[in-house]
Amino acid sequence: MSPSTARLSPPSVRRHLSAPALALLASLSLPLLSGSGPGPGGAVEAFALRALQGPLRPEVTSLTFGGNASFSESELAASIRARQTECRSLLLRPFCWVGAAFAIDRSYLLPGTVRDDHARLHLFYRQRGFRAVRVDTLVTRSEAGTAAVHFELEEGEPHRITAFSLRGAGELGEPALGEDLPVQAGDPLDLVALEMVRDTLARRLGNRGYAHAQVLRSIFVPAGTLDAEVEFDIFPGPVTRFGPIEVVGNEEVDDGVILRMLPFGEGGLYRRDLLLDAQRNIYNLEIILDAAISEDLASQPDSVVPLLVQVNEGDRRRVRAGGGWNREDCLSAEASWSNRNYLGGARELTFRGRLLNLLAGPLGESVCQGVGRGVYGELDWVVSAEFTQPFVFTPRNSLSASVYAERQSLRNVFVREAFGVNLALTRLVGRETPLTLSVEPEIASLDAAEVFFCASFFVCDPLDIELLQASNRLVPFGLTLLRDRTGAFLSPQSGYRALIDLESAPRWAGSDFTYHRLVADVSAYLGLGRDVVVAARLRGGRLQAGTFHGLSGAHAGSGRRIAHPEMRFYAGGSNSVRGYAQNELGAQVVSVPVDRLLLPQDTATAPVCAPGEVVALTCSAAFLAETAFLARPTGGTRLVEGSLELRFPLWGSVLGGAAFLDFGRVWDPAGAAAPPAFEYTPGGGLRYDTPIGPVRVDVGYRGTPVRDVPVVTSQIRPFDPARGDVPADRIGADAAGELGLDWVEADDLALLEPTIRFRGGSRVAWWRGLQLHFSIGQAF
């Protein structure tokens, strides 16, 4: 028997069904026939259901709507219970095509579902002003045990609001009370929106001192018309003030500490939003686990509202330890000890320590390929002590002071050792909007940055490089404004997050490296339902380097503008343009040992260059294999990068997927090379949800770009015993000092004039353009 599709009245169905089927039909349809509600003229809506042979729980393979002009299918589908069998994700479509059970989210038609959904759709429309709506339901079942469900709608004309008024608002002298309401005259008679109006008015009254305000709604619909007159009656009650405030649940923290975090005091004008601010202020104290504020609106006199503040404290002392792994830092470990009520007053004292690049040596060729080689892959560390004062004149202000020592490396660019102090004053200028003013004087030295200074600023003299790498002072002042309207830290699904960061290190403050730096970063999130999120990010930066005095040689007294390598912008990595490894997007320089240029390599019988060509900087290293070079990013003073990402569930709420397109550009207008074009890298990844954030695996594709890059090597000079040279110093000499050239390496670096075409490794096959990232937390 072929599948049947029909819209039938109950008598015609009765002629085609057996007694058991009649009983089932009666249980499904009769309640709807009697309770679907009258339409225009009192006519009763018809509900038709074709219930033929097949299982009692058929699989729903199709769910459709027709006649819906005012609301989308997604809005209507969200209002009913029936669901359609779907593939769990776009990435799983190939598995769905072959019927793999793990990829398919199956939905079945349960008894009573269609009847209830008929009523739900009817209610959905009536609540939104379409009181003449008619809903017809059609179910088509097949012998294969599947069903197609279709809802046909006749929306009709909606009732519209012809008169909208607020009675009692004029006596309050609050003209702003009725501004920007969700409903105005001319809108459909939407009961959901009218309830939002009532809540908005009650909230506004509560923020103007009326704790007992009531807002009543009345609707008048003249008979035989589609007009509606809506009126809200406002009964503000007495002006109220905050009464006595009692604090309970605190043992370590004094009552006074809790009370000073409240943005109001006893006798202050009642404002409901201040209660939320107070609860947030108390919760921000590290020692407080939970905070709740309840109000006694039944107390007398009714012009005073007593408050009860309930808190739940954590342990005064806390120890934390953890570890992790990613390709850029290899294995890492960290630990902290905190006293969260140091010297009373909920002040916090914290000691922290962190180790990075653990086991980078033995694991550098396998799971830690993002770690640099040699000195760049040695153990990095950070130790710090931080003191936080949570209240400075007002609960909106907090002060932190920290002292730290660290060794940090940027792969193949520099190694930095520093000792410094950070002072920061933070003020909450709005909800989720902190403004921070900071100063961070430090003494820092650099190592292994010779190639960077030579290629980026043409400072190749060893004395000048030694001066730049020596212990220099950095005294940057910072101003940071952050606005977070996402409501979620780990995986936002709506809202936006914006950051503006200004930093300046002036000469008058004693900074040896001087600069001005600006960074702007904005991310936006749009939820599409069912945990599907579209996320976008745009980040830009600008660096203006100041002068560095004290250089010798050719640069003496020149006051060259030299940017500290830590302050320059770099792009590429798991939280940047994911088609590239950490910091590999943008300008690069390659270095090569000078003996590779002056001695025959592999099966070659002649060297690449003659000694005179190296001295004259005219040597071309283009004939060497790319494996002979070490690529080093030089960064830039300008940065633009961004991402567009679609996040979607794959397996419930635990496993998710993402498809993304990243783009970026890093350049230096003062550089010799022309600014590079934007790089675009598509990719995808998986997200496994954990309490500390999603574990993220991403794969980006950059293609096989080819760049013109400069080459840095060691300068050479003739062999001269009068200068203390010994035969073993000669380039190419063996241990006995035999053979070799009559040239030795000089202390200077040589920036060769000819550039080379560099691909970044023997990336010939397309798959060598793939870049793998493993990390914790969303990319942005």
Side-chain angles (χ1 to χ4, degrees), residues 651-693:
W651 191 270
S653 60
V654 176
L655 184 64
F660 58 81
L661 175 65
D662 298 335
F663 62 90
R665 181 186 182 198
V666 180
W667 74 102
D668 189 344
F678 276 96
E679 298 283 354
Y680 298 88
T681 67
L686 298 175
R687 312 286 187 267
Y688 180 79
D689 194 36
T690 70
I692 60 174

Side-chain angles (χ1 to χ4, degrees), residues 481-728:
L481 178 66
L482 172 64
R483 185 170 179 83
D484 190 340
R485 306 294 291 178
T486 62
F489 177 74
L490 297 178
S491 297
Q493 296 196 356
S494 63
Y496 68 91
R497 184 180 293 142
L499 169 74
I500 297 178
D501 185 28
L502 299 170
E503 192 172 288
S504 177
R507 172 70 61 185
W508 58 262
S511 188
D512 294 320
F513 284 94
T514 60
Y515 62 88
H516 306 290
R517 193 172 191 263
L518 167 66
V519 176
D521 192 334
V522 60
S523 303
Y525 310 88
L526 176 63
L528 303 181
R530 297 191 178 185
D531 294 329
V532 178
V533 178
V534 175
R537 179 195 187 194
L538 184 64
R539 181 172 181 259
R542 177 187 176 94
L543 172 67
Q544 180 181 340
T547 57
F548 184 94
H549 296 275
L551 298 181
S552 61
H555 308 298
S558 63
R560 289 181 59 86
R561 294 183 176 274
I562 297 179
H564 193 284
E566 185 185 7
M567 297 300 115
R568 289 171 70 89
F569 296 107
Y570 305 87
S574 61
N575 296 93
S576 180
V577 182
R578 283 164 282 185
Y580 287 85
Q582 191 77 12
N583 303 324
E584 284 194 357
L585 172 63
Q588 290 185 329
V589 61
V590 296
S591 60
V592 60
V594 71
D595 60 348
R596 294 286 188 97
L597 301 172
L598 300 177
L599 300 175
Q601 300 296 309
D602 299 328
T603 59
T605 59
V608 173
C609 299
E613 293 176 305
V614 175
V615 174
L617 305 180
T618 59
C619 169
S620 174
F623 297 102
L624 286 177
E626 288 198 356
T627 54
F629 299 98
L630 176 62
R632 303 168 185 264
T634 57
T637 60
R638 304 291 188 272
L639 165 70
V640 175
E641 65 177 6
S643 300
L644 182 64
E645 182 169 294
L646 177 66
R647 302 169 183 172
F648 46 85
L650 289 176
W651 191 270
S653 60
V654 176
L655 184 64
F660 58 81
L661 175 65
D662 298 335
F663 62 90
R665 181 186 182 198
V666 180
W667 74 102
D668 189 344
F678 276 96
E679 298 283 354
Y680 298 88
T681 67
L686 298 175
R687 312 286 187 267
Y688 180 79
D689 194 36
T690 70
I692 60 174
V695 175
R696 177 164 55 94
V697 179
D698 284 330
V699 177
Y701 182 69
R702 66 181 170 277
T704 55
V706 179
R707 310 171 185 171
D708 291 321
V709 299
V711 180
V712 173
T713 188
S714 297
Q715 187 55 276
I716 60 174
R717 60 176 176 80
F719 175 75
D720 185 1
R723 301 180 63 174
D725 298 338
V726 297

Side-chain angles (χ1 to χ4, degrees), residues 67-295:
N68 51 309
S70 303
F71 304 99
S72 66
E73 288 200 5
S74 59
E75 290 178 288
L76 298 179
S79 69
I80 64 176
R81 184 180 177 188
R83 294 289 180 267
Q84 176 182 323
T85 292
E86 296 176 328
C87 192
R88 295 185 183 275
S89 169
L90 292 176
L91 294 180
L92 298 179
R93 281 290 174 84
F95 298 99
C96 295
W97 293 337
V98 298
F102 74 90
I104 302 175
D105 184 11
R106 299 189 184 277
S107 297
Y108 298 92
L109 190 62
L110 301 177
T113 299
V114 174
R115 175 194 62 205
D116 295 343
D117 285 346
H118 176 275
R120 289 189 181 97
L121 286 173
H122 200 278
L123 179 62
F124 177 89
Y125 270 91
R126 288 181 63 85
Q127 285 181 331
R128 287 156 180 80
F130 293 82
R131 298 192 171 189
V133 65
R134 296 177 64 89
V135 183
D136 195 10
T137 307
L138 183 65
V139 179
T140 303
R141 298 181 59 172
S142 71
E143 292 180 340
T146 63
V149 180
H150 178 78
F151 294 97
E152 187 67 27
L153 301 156
E154 294 181 18
E155 294 182 340
E157 289 296 323
H159 284 67
R160 291 193 176 275
I161 301 174
T162 57
F164 182 86
S165 60
L166 304 179
R167 192 167 68 176
E171 291 81 352
L172 297 176
E174 296 282 354
L177 193 63
E179 294 180 356
D180 300 324
L181 294 174
V183 171
Q184 299 294 334
D187 293 343
L189 184 61
D190 189 333
L191 301 183
V192 177
L194 291 178
E195 193 62 27
M196 293 173 59
V197 171
R198 177 156 53 187
D199 292 342
T200 300
L201 292 172
R203 185 179 67 253
R204 290 177 178 178
L205 290 167
N207 286 325
R208 288 165 169 79
Y210 300 100
H212 303 281
Q214 295 186 23
V215 180
L216 304 181
R217 184 196 68 198
S218 62
I219 301 175
F220 174 68
V221 179
T225 71
L226 295 178
D227 298 336
E229 300 175 6
V230 178
E231 185 177 69
F232 286 90
D233 291 309
I234 298 175
F235 301 96
V239 175
T240 52
R241 296 187 175 276
F242 291 113
I245 304 173
E246 181 183 1
V247 180
V248 298
N250 54 315
E251 297 180 0
E252 285 281 348
V253 181
D254 296 336
D255 288 0
V257 175
I258 302 294
L259 293 175
R260 75 181 185 184
M261 299 305 292
L262 306 181
F264 55 82
E266 183 176 349
L269 182 66
Y270 177 91
R271 286 177 54 193
R272 189 159 295 163
D273 283 352
L274 289 181
L275 296 177
L276 298 177
D277 293 340
Q279 186 170 326
R280 186 180 296 110
N281 291 345
I282 298 172
Y283 182 75
N284 285 338
L285 298 176
E286 285 293 329
I287 197 172
I288 301 298
L289 300 180
D290 299 295
I293 301 178
S294 55
E295 47 191 344

Side-chain angles (χ1 to χ4, degrees), residues 221-573:
V221 179
T225 71
L226 295 178
D227 298 336
E229 300 175 6
V230 178
E231 185 177 69
F232 286 90
D233 291 309
I234 298 175
F235 301 96
V239 175
T240 52
R241 296 187 175 276
F242 291 113
I245 304 173
E246 181 183 1
V247 180
V248 298
N250 54 315
E251 297 180 0
E252 285 281 348
V253 181
D254 296 336
D255 288 0
V257 175
I258 302 294
L259 293 175
R260 75 181 185 184
M261 299 305 292
L262 306 181
F264 55 82
E266 183 176 349
L269 182 66
Y270 177 91
R271 286 177 54 193
R272 189 159 295 163
D273 283 352
L274 289 181
L275 296 177
L276 298 177
D277 293 340
Q279 186 170 326
R280 186 180 296 110
N281 291 345
I282 298 172
Y283 182 75
N284 285 338
L285 298 176
E286 285 293 329
I287 197 172
I288 301 298
L289 300 180
D290 299 295
I293 301 178
S294 55
E295 47 191 344
D296 186 3
L297 297 177
S299 67
Q300 293 296 326
D302 57 4
S303 60
V304 175
V305 179
L307 300 179
L308 178 65
V309 181
Q310 296 176 295
V311 298
N312 180 23
E313 297 178 341
D315 295 330
R316 178 173 183 172
R317 295 175 180 83
R318 180 175 63 183
V319 176
R320 287 183 170 179
W325 166 81
N326 62 48
R327 291 169 56 87
E328 287 74 31
D329 297 324
C330 201
L331 298 177
S332 63
E334 59 181 303
S336 66
W337 178 91
S338 300
N339 185 330
R340 296 186 286 180
N341 195 30
Y342 180 70
L343 300 178
R347 302 176 181 89
E348 183 178 13
L349 178 64
T350 301
F351 295 94
R352 293 187 178 90
R354 188 181 186 196
L355 299 175
L356 302 95
N357 289 351
L358 292 169
L359 300 181
L363 300 179
E365 298 299 328
S366 55
V367 296
C368 297
Q369 294 183 4
V371 178
R373 300 293 180 266
V375 66
Y376 305 104
E378 294 179 5
L379 185 68
D380 284 345
W381 50 267
V382 180
V383 292
S384 66
E386 181 178 7
F387 172 79
T388 302
Q389 168 67 47
F391 180 96
V392 181
F393 302 118
T394 168
R396 287 180 172 269
N397 298 338
S398 63
L399 176 69
S400 66
S402 64
V403 57
Y404 62 88
E406 63 181 8
R407 181 201 190 268
Q408 297 290 321
S409 60
L410 187 62
R411 181 191 179 197
N412 297 338
V413 181
F414 64 85
V415 176
R416 170 179 173 272
E417 293 187 359
F419 174 83
V421 175
N422 181 284
L423 300 174
L425 177 65
T426 300
R427 177 174 177 79
L428 198 64
V429 295
R431 288 189 176 176
E432 309 299 335
T433 309
L435 177 67
T436 301
L437 176 65
S438 64
V439 59
E440 188 174 351
E442 68 173 23
I443 296 177
S445 62
L446 298 172
D447 188 16
E450 301 91 345
V451 173
F452 169 83
F453 286 117
C454 183
S456 300
F457 304 106
F458 307 104
V459 179
C460 303
D461 184 274
L463 295 179
D464 287 339
I465 292 176
E466 182 179 358
L467 183 63
L468 291 169
Q469 293 192 141
S471 296
N472 288 298
R473 295 183 301 273
L474 279 175
V475 190
F477 293 84
L479 183 66
T480 303
L481 178 66
L482 172 64
R483 185 170 179 83
D484 190 340
R485 306 294 291 178
T486 62
F489 177 74
L490 297 178
S491 297
Q493 296 196 356
S494 63
Y496 68 91
R497 184 180 293 142
L499 169 74
I500 297 178
D501 185 28
L502 299 170
E503 192 172 288
S504 177
R507 172 70 61 185
W508 58 262
S511 188
D512 294 320
F513 284 94
T514 60
Y515 62 88
H516 306 290
R517 193 172 191 263
L518 167 66
V519 176
D521 192 334
V522 60
S523 303
Y525 310 88
L526 176 63
L528 303 181
R530 297 191 178 185
D531 294 329
V532 178
V533 178
V534 175
R537 179 195 187 194
L538 184 64
R539 181 172 181 259
R542 177 187 176 94
L543 172 67
Q544 180 181 340
T547 57
F548 184 94
H549 296 275
L551 298 181
S552 61
H555 308 298
S558 63
R560 289 181 59 86
R561 294 183 176 274
I562 297 179
H564 193 284
E566 185 185 7
M567 297 300 115
R568 289 171 70 89
F569 296 107
Y570 305 87

